[in-house]
Amino acid sequence: MKRIVFLLLIFCWGSRFVWASEEAFLESLAEHGFFRLAEVYCQEQLAKEGISEEKQLRLTAELLRVGAQQALLAPDSQQPAWWERLQRTYTETSRQFSESPWQVLLDYQWSVALLARSQQLWILSPPSEPGKEAEVSSDFRTFLRQAIRILKEAEISLQSVSSTPFQTSSKNLAEMKSWQKISLLHQVRFQLLQAWKFQGETYPPESADRLQALGQALEMIPLLSGAWEGSLQKWIILVEEITCYRLLGEMEKAWRRIEVLEELSLPPSFASDLQAEKLRYWLDKKNYAAIREFLKTHLREKRVGENANWDYALLEVTLAFWQESLKKPPLETSETWVREKDVRTLLEQIRQKNSPWWVRKSEILFAVTIHRMTREGTLTGNLPMQVWRAEQACRSGDLEKALAACEEAWQTAEKERDRDSAWQVGRWIAAMLCTEKKWADAARWFQKMSVAFPEEPDSVKNHALAIQLVEKWVDETLETAHFENRSQEVENALDRYQELLVEHYQLFAEKDEEIGKILNKLEKLTRIRQKKAARVDVAMILVARTQGDAYQDALTTAVEAWDDYLRTFPRDNSEMLMKTVQKAILWSEKQTLPPREFLVTLGWQLEFFPKTAPQVEQKLRPRLQHEQWDAETEISGKIHLIWAMVLQGKKEMATEELRKITDTSEQSTALLLAILEKTKDRGKENLSESAQKQWATLEWEILSRLDEQKMSAKMQTELLLQKARVLRILEKQEEAYRLYEYLAVQFPHRRDVQTEWGRLLVNEGIRRQDKKKLEQALVQWREIESRSKKGTDAWFEAKYQIARTYVALDNEEKGIQSVKMLRVLYPQMGGEKWKKKFENILQ
């Protein structure tokens, strides 16, 4: 039988001897934590009709036992309700069966529960603050006295041992045999031994109250040891006798009994109990040398978790060594030195491998020791006390107090560079925050642990865990954010996520084997969020760190990131823009790029640095001639080559190259149209007016050569759109006007068509001073405005074209008024580009 069962004082001694099979079933449920299942079983059995008084009282006793176990392990705030419920069950059942001889079973089980409650209240009483007297609640004595009174009454009623059954008028009452009465009597006496020993322990040493209580406990020893001769229980009683003598200060008697028991062959569990008492004996005598020699042999034989009593004694010894290690001068041998880290390691092992009761008891012992050391001035700092307060605050469930206590302990631990204490506090509060599903706050603590001590191996895991928690926060924010605040809430979460990913790379790039996954997450995030500058940085890092098959994908991602980033700049040839482009080109020239990405980088040169056209042609021709590219990429490459020729003024060569790629086959035509669409606006701002027209002339020539009869309806539409665009560039206004007028009717939902048609209407209306066209333009741009999102580029253009049209219609006042109203609502007026246009109207 495990020692913990006796010390918990929640063991079914009162029913074991009567209904072994059913009791064993219920005990098994409780042992595995299925308290509710055991409770339901008892209630279902009690609800049956025709059961005897004996069984009703047994089942109710089981309810008390199981309920007490749940109450002892329940959170502090829930315990009063548990005990009130158990008290009500006991009182009502006792009143109902007050004349039954089986009532003694209920009394016994209730006294066991009261004793456990008393012991719990005493041992869990918080230690006093340094410099103050301990404030221990007296409630535990009330429960203890009740338990002793009930046990004494039960002992008296059971002392008359007889084989004669109880006399009763109830036909359903089974008889209690004499051997059953004797067994129960022994167990009642054992609980009295436990109660008096505990009562003596709660009084000051050498006080009359302690002497009296322990004396009564010792009176039970011969009665029980004689009754249990030859059984396992006898060893328990003999070890308890040693404890009583030690608590009385009669050390010689205690040692003689230790020596006697050591000569006997004790079962392993009881041998551990005896050795635990031996350690306490030496500890009381301050014989640290003996303890040290004993542990050299026995510590290797015993593992934490095999015997809770031994583990607790070992903690007592370790705490004592720690206190002695901090005294000046140090002890005579360095073997005695113990650090707080060693104490906490042992305490953590006890937490992991022992029952909740022994865990709480060990934690309180640690706390009491810290208080005493603080009062005595043994501890030079207050960190251990702060750590203990933080732990208790976390266990209390009060999140606000826990956060404050942990923050205080953390700051001290970080200042003293005490990693163990800092991480312990961080893990406690992070676990509590995770329980509350406060992912962002929990992530902050894991981040603090890793950033404060980045050199520690576990820092990588802590920081990775912080990232995972923030991912949870992002997911929940996306799901639960209120619509009106959604954008800001999500952005805050994503900002935090991006910050952690970047920080992880900066701190742990060389330590984390999974850094590639972190970078991929960061690249994906920056792409989704349109954080284009950050995405470029990440993409370049990925290229530098990636090898093997993934290298080509990393290059593609990096070129795409650069291209997207360059598109964010206004095409004003500013110094910042040109420097950024130069940086992108220099980076690309150091890479061995695939064909598509290679053409994109050449496009940067042609677009922003037209004078480099000869160098572009020189780079491009060899690859076109010697490499096998797919059809689309090959046509795109030839378009870039023509572009370079146009920039150099090689009109005839450009025209000839265009004729080479002109093909009436549907596949080539589709590719050509798609590529012309992609390149239609690239670099045109950097071309002279004559070069723009030359480029448009070449486009018109190739478009004119395409055979519409061999095209699908979709391709015919694309051809018309391309022609309309080129006609406008070539300033063939009449033809462009008629074609866009047709397209606007055919494609009412295509934004690009409707926008170009609106521009033409305004331009033609102003050029011809045609009021009808201007009024039609006003309707067109109002429609575009209504379909555009406020604050976008398209919306500001619609506002500008409407104001411009009002002015053209000789309604300057309305046009100027609309611009002034816009300036009030949007002071930036859509950016520098539109602001200048609006200011021209005001002037």
Side-chain angles (χ1 to χ4, degrees):
M1 196 68 60
K2 291 184 179 180
R3 173 73 170 178
I4 180 179
V5 176
F6 295 98
L7 291 176
L8 269 171
L9 306 179
I10 299 296
F11 192 75
C12 191
W13 294 93
S15 55
R16 172 178 299 282
F17 57 90
V18 181
W19 54 332
S21 60
E22 193 164 20
E23 184 276 334
F25 165 69
L26 291 169
E27 184 181 338
S28 177
L29 290 177
E31 182 180 351
H32 289 86
F34 300 132
F35 300 115
R36 179 56 182 160
L37 190 58
E39 183 181 358
V40 169
Y41 176 84
C42 291
Q43 290 172 339
E44 288 178 349
Q45 294 300 311
L46 284 168
K48 291 182 179 180
E49 295 183 1
I51 63 173
S52 65
E53 289 182 359
E54 171 197 355
K55 189 166 185 177
Q56 288 185 63
L57 286 163
R58 289 172 184 163
L59 287 166
T60 306
E62 279 300 314
L63 277 177
L64 292 176
R65 184 173 74 90
V66 172
Q69 286 177 306
Q70 294 181 80
L72 290 168
L73 300 177
D76 295 345
S77 59
Q78 299 176 18
Q79 289 198 9
W82 268 106
W83 289 106
E84 183 179 347
R85 174 185 166 191
L86 292 171
Q87 174 73 64
R88 187 166 56 250
T89 299
Y90 170 72
T91 302
E92 292 175 357
T93 307
S94 296
R95 187 182 301 116
Q96 181 181 356
F97 297 99
S98 59
E99 301 300 324
S100 172
W102 297 100
Q103 169 68 28
V104 69
L105 291 177
L106 195 68
D107 292 339
Y108 168 77
Q109 197 63 63
W110 181 236
S111 66
V112 170
L114 290 173
L115 185 53
R117 174 61 168 162
S118 173
Q119 192 173 25
Q120 182 190 48
L121 288 176
W122 178 71
I123 198 170
L124 298 182
S125 297
S128 63
E129 294 292 327
K132 295 182 180 179
E133 292 297 324
E135 296 179 1
V136 180
S137 172
S138 61
D139 289 344
F140 84 93
R141 295 204 186 279
T142 302
F143 290 113
L144 178 57
R145 290 184 182 118
Q146 289 179 15
I148 291 174
R149 177 180 56 79
I150 294 173
L151 287 168
K152 285 294 294 180
E153 291 173 356
E155 182 190 25
I156 293 170
S157 67
L158 289 167
Q159 277 180 346
S160 177
V161 180
S162 172
S163 59
T164 305
F166 286 110
Q167 299 299 318
T168 176
S169 60
S170 173
K171 295 180 181 180
N172 294 325
L173 182 61
E175 63 184 29
M176 180 182 285
K177 299 184 183 301
S178 59
W179 68 267
Q180 294 171 330
K181 294 172 63 179
I182 293 170
S183 178
L184 182 56
L185 175 63
H186 293 160
Q187 293 169 58
V188 166
R189 284 174 171 169
F190 175 80
Q191 295 299 334
L192 275 171
L193 164 62
Q194 293 288 315
W196 277 321
K197 186 189 74 171
F198 168 56
Q199 189 178 53
E201 189 178 3
T202 64
Y203 287 116
E206 300 180 2
S207 65
D209 290 326
R210 171 174 282 205
L211 294 174
Q212 182 181 2
L214 291 173
Q216 289 177 304
L218 286 170
E219 289 177 6
M220 293 290 108
I221 299 294
L223 296 175
L224 289 169
S225 60
W228 281 339
E229 186 69 39
S231 67
L232 291 176
Q233 286 88 338
K234 177 180 179 179
W235 303 117
I236 302 171
I237 301 305
L238 295 177
V239 173
E240 294 292 344
E241 183 182 27
I242 295 170
T243 305
C244 289
Y245 280 129
R246 182 175 55 79
L247 291 173
L248 281 169
E250 297 185 23
M251 306 304 284
E252 291 185 10
K253 289 184 180 180
W255 183 251
R256 284 200 299 271
R257 279 157 179 76
I258 289 174
E259 289 180 321
V260 169
L261 289 182
E262 281 188 324
E263 293 176 0
L264 302 176
S265 179
L266 273 70
S269 177
F270 301 114
S272 295
D273 288 334
L274 178 62
Q275 289 163 352
E277 279 304 310
K278 198 172 185 179
L279 286 178
R280 294 186 180 106
Y281 170 85
W282 281 325
L283 197 58
D284 288 347
K285 301 281 287 185
K286 297 189 182 299
N287 191 346
Y288 300 113
I291 295 174
R292 196 162 56 248
E293 289 300 318
F294 180 80
L295 292 179
K296 280 182 181 180
T297 303
H298 292 79
L299 200 56
R300 290 192 296 270
E301 300 173 355
K302 297 183 180 299
R303 291 174 296 181
V304 174
E306 293 179 350
N307 183 285
N309 188 27
W310 164 266
D311 296 343
Y312 187 77
L314 185 60
L315 179 62
E316 291 178 284
V317 168
T318 307
L319 285 167
F321 277 13
W322 179 37
Q323 294 176 73
E324 292 298 318
S325 298
L326 294 175
K327 292 181 179 179
K328 301 295 182 181
L331 296 179
E332 65 278 3
T333 171
S334 60
E335 292 181 272
T336 310
W337 282 86
V338 172
R339 298 171 299 170
E340 183 190 349
K341 177 181 179 181
D342 302 317
V343 179
R344 289 193 175 277
T345 299
L346 176 58
L347 189 59
E348 189 59 34
Q349 290 175 329
I350 291 173
R351 285 191 179 112
Q352 294 173 3
K353 299 181 179 181
N354 277 296
S355 69
W357 176 265
W358 284 101
V359 170
R360 294 292 294 274
K361 186 173 181 178
S362 300
E363 288 169 347
I364 296 301
L365 175 63
F366 174 71
V368 170
T369 303
I370 288 178
H371 273 277
R372 182 166 59 249
M373 293 169 70
T374 304
R375 285 196 300 267
E376 294 172 351
T378 308
L379 288 177
T380 56
N382 62 349
L383 179 57
M385 178 62 69
Q386 290 175 342
V387 170
W388 178 80
R389 286 174 181 160
E391 183 176 14
Q392 298 309 304
C394 289
R395 293 181 182 279
S396 73
D398 189 324
L399 184 57
E400 185 177 347
K401 288 182 179 178
L403 282 169
C406 287
E407 191 66 51
E408 179 186 13
W410 170 271
Q411 290 176 5
T412 303
E414 188 178 22
K415 182 178 179 181
E416 297 181 7
R417 303 304 296 166
D418 187 333
R419 190 217 67 168
D420 293 333
S421 296
W423 280 20
Q424 200 159 31
V425 168
R427 282 192 287 264
W428 286 333
I429 192 62
M432 187 175 182
L433 289 165
C434 284
T435 302
E436 297 290 328
K437 295 187 176 182
K438 294 183 178 294
W439 311 120
D441 294 330
R444 182 175 68 87
W445 280 94
F446 281 109
Q447 181 194 23
K448 286 172 70 168
M449 285 188 274
S450 57
V451 172
F453 303 92
E455 68 282 355
E456 296 292 336
D458 287 345
S459 291
V460 177
K461 294 180 181 179
N462 284 334
H463 205 277
L465 184 54
I467 290 173
Q468 293 175 24
L469 292 172
V470 170
E471 286 173 352
K472 285 179 175 288
W473 178 37
V474 170
D475 290 342
E476 286 194 358
T477 304
L478 288 169
E479 293 175 3
T480 63
H482 298 298
F483 180 78
E484 60 272 16
N485 298 322
R486 186 182 185 87
S487 176
Q488 190 56 50
E489 289 177 0
V490 172
E491 285 302 308
N492 290 341
L494 291 174
D495 281 343
R496 183 81 176 106
Y497 185 36
Q498 184 170 323
E499 172 193 323
L500 275 178
L501 290 171
V502 171
E503 185 177 71
H504 194 86
Y505 171 74
Q506 293 171 339
L507 292 177
F508 307 115
E510 304 305 323
K511 295 180 181 180
D512 190 355
E513 296 179 357
E514 303 290 319
I515 194 64
K517 293 181 180 179
I518 295 293
L519 288 171
N520 285 326
K521 287 181 179 181
L522 182 57
E523 191 280 327
K524 182 179 179 181
L525 178 65
T526 54
R527 172 159 37 88
I528 292 172
R529 299 188 72 197
Q530 297 295 304
K531 300 287 186 179
K532 300 189 176 181
R535 187 187 173 207
V536 166
D537 293 334
V538 178
M540 289 194 296
I541 292 171
L542 276 170
V543 169
R545 298 188 65 90
T546 306
Q547 297 177 350
D549 297 338
Y551 179 69
Q552 294 296 319
D553 292 336
L555 278 175
T556 299
T557 298
V559 172
E560 178 189 320
W562 268 116
D563 200 48
D564 285 346
Y565 181 46
L566 294 178
R567 289 174 185 269
T568 63
F569 288 88
R571 292 305 190 263
D572 53 4
N573 291 343
S574 65
E575 182 180 356
M576 182 178 178
L577 169 62
M578 303 312 285
K579 284 184 177 181
T580 305
V581 177
Q582 283 179 330
K583 183 179 178 181
I585 292 172
L586 287 172
W587 173 83
S588 67
E589 289 176 342
K590 296 176 182 178
Q591 317 302 324
T592 304
L593 297 172
R596 291 175 184 270
E597 289 67 35
F598 172 65
L599 293 178
V600 172
T601 63
L602 293 185
W604 301 339
Q605 290 184 252
L606 294 174
E607 179 177 355
F608 296 101
F609 301 101
K611 292 181 180 181
T612 65
Q615 290 85 349
V616 170
E617 184 179 357
Q618 188 177 4
K619 292 177 185 177
L620 183 55
R621 278 191 183 278
R623 294 194 66 170
L624 277 171
Q625 292 172 0
H626 302 298
E627 295 181 13
Q628 190 69 33
W629 293 357
D630 62 74
E632 181 180 357
T633 308
E634 185 176 358
I635 293 177
S636 180
K638 290 177 179 179
I639 293 293
H640 278 75
L641 187 61
I642 294 168
W643 186 1
M645 293 176 183
V646 171
L647 291 173
Q648 296 176 72
K650 298 178 181 180
K651 181 180 178 181
E652 293 182 2
M653 291 179 66
T655 304
E656 180 62 27
E657 197 63 43
L658 267 175
R659 286 172 182 161
K660 287 180 183 179
I661 63 173
T662 303
D663 193 328
T664 55
S665 69
E666 186 168 326
Q667 183 181 14
S668 297
T669 302
L671 290 173
L672 186 58
L673 285 172
I675 292 165
L676 288 175
E677 174 65 22
K678 289 179 182 178
T679 60
K680 66 183 181 181
D681 295 324
R682 297 300 300 268
K684 305 306 183 291
E685 294 85 348
N686 292 317
L687 295 177
S688 64
E689 187 175 343
S690 61
Q692 288 186 41
K693 288 185 177 180
Q694 187 177 351
W695 176 259
T697 301
L698 291 171
E699 286 187 283
W700 180 257
E701 182 176 339
I702 192 171
L703 292 171
S704 300
R705 289 169 63 87
L706 298 177
D707 188 350
E708 293 185 30
Q709 300 303 317
K710 295 184 179 182
M711 294 183 181
S712 64
K714 182 178 180 181
M715 287 178 61
Q716 288 178 21
T717 299
E718 291 301 320
L719 180 61
L720 289 176
L721 290 169
Q722 295 276 19
K723 283 183 174 181
R725 176 181 58 80
V726 174
L727 285 171
R728 184 172 55 80
I729 296 172
L730 293 173
E731 295 182 354
K732 295 183 178 183
Q733 301 298 333
E734 292 293 339
E735 295 176 61
Y737 183 87
R738 287 195 300 273
L739 189 50
Y740 268 111
E741 185 176 30
Y742 167 77
L743 292 170
V745 174
Q746 294 298 314
F747 305 102
H749 300 298
R750 282 199 56 155
R751 182 186 292 273
D752 56 342
V753 172
Q754 296 302 320
T755 300
E756 286 296 340
W757 173 233
R759 290 168 184 163
L760 276 174
L761 279 173
V762 176
N763 291 338
E764 281 296 290
I766 292 175
R767 187 171 68 85
R768 294 175 176 273
Q769 296 185 347
D770 188 330
K771 185 176 180 182
K772 186 176 180 180
K773 282 187 172 60
L774 289 172
E775 288 176 346
Q776 188 181 353
L778 199 59
V779 173
Q780 177 74 4
W781 282 107
R782 282 174 176 163
E783 179 66 18
I784 293 173
E785 178 194 6
S786 67
R787 294 186 179 186
S788 301
K789 185 178 179 181
K790 288 185 177 181
T792 62
D793 198 63
W795 186 77
F796 279 111
E797 181 178 5
K799 286 288 189 182
Y800 166 72
Q801 296 289 8
I802 290 170
R804 182 186 176 204
T805 304
Y806 274 132
V807 172
L809 284 168
D810 295 327
N811 194 347
E812 288 187 13
E813 183 179 350
K814 194 164 187 178
I816 291 172
Q817 185 64 33
S818 67
V819 174
K820 288 182 177 179
M821 180 64 71
L822 182 71
R823 184 167 60 184
V824 172
L825 297 174
Y826 298 87
Q828 300 302 317
M829 301 181 79
E832 197 63 31
K833 170 185 170 183
W834 293 113
K835 192 172 185 180
K836 288 181 180 179
K837 291 180 179 291
F838 285 122
E839 287 176 349
N840 288 337
I841 292 177
L842 293 177
Q843 292 172 1

